[in-house]
């Protein structure tokens, strides 16, 4: 990934910056939806991220129809 920025800030001057990073990683995960038979559906997800030190992520929420 690479990002370049050139900004003209008027009286404050110009700003220029660039950054780049490239890494390989892996996301492994699973999730479940709990169908309550209504417009509201709770869900949960568990994800294991493998990149520069591994981490676990647990997410939960509610989906609903509008």
């Amino acid at each position: 990934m690479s990002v370049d920025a050139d900004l003209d800030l008027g009286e404050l001057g110009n700003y220029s910056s660039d950054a780049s990073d490239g890494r390989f990683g892996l996301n492994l995960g699973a999730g479940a939806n709990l169908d309550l038979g209504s417009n509201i559906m709770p869900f949960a997800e568990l994800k294991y991220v493998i990149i520069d030190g591994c981490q676990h992520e647990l997410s939960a929420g509610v989906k609903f129809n509008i």
Side-chain angles (χ1 to χ4, degrees), residues 5-61:
D6 292 314
L7 300 174
D8 180 5
L9 301 176
E11 293 179 12
L12 299 175
N14 296 326
Y15 174 78
S16 178
S17 179
D18 62 70
S20 64
D21 190 11
R23 295 181 288 177
F24 179 76
L26 180 64
N27 292 329
L28 302 172
N33 292 323
L34 180 60
D35 188 3
L36 300 176
S38 66
N39 289 336
I40 298 174
M41 182 180 298
F43 69 92
E45 300 172 338
L46 179 63
K47 183 168 49 170
Y48 183 64
V49 181
I50 304 171
I51 188 170
D52 292 342
C54 301
Q55 68 183 33
H56 297 87
E57 179 182 318
L58 176 62
S59 302

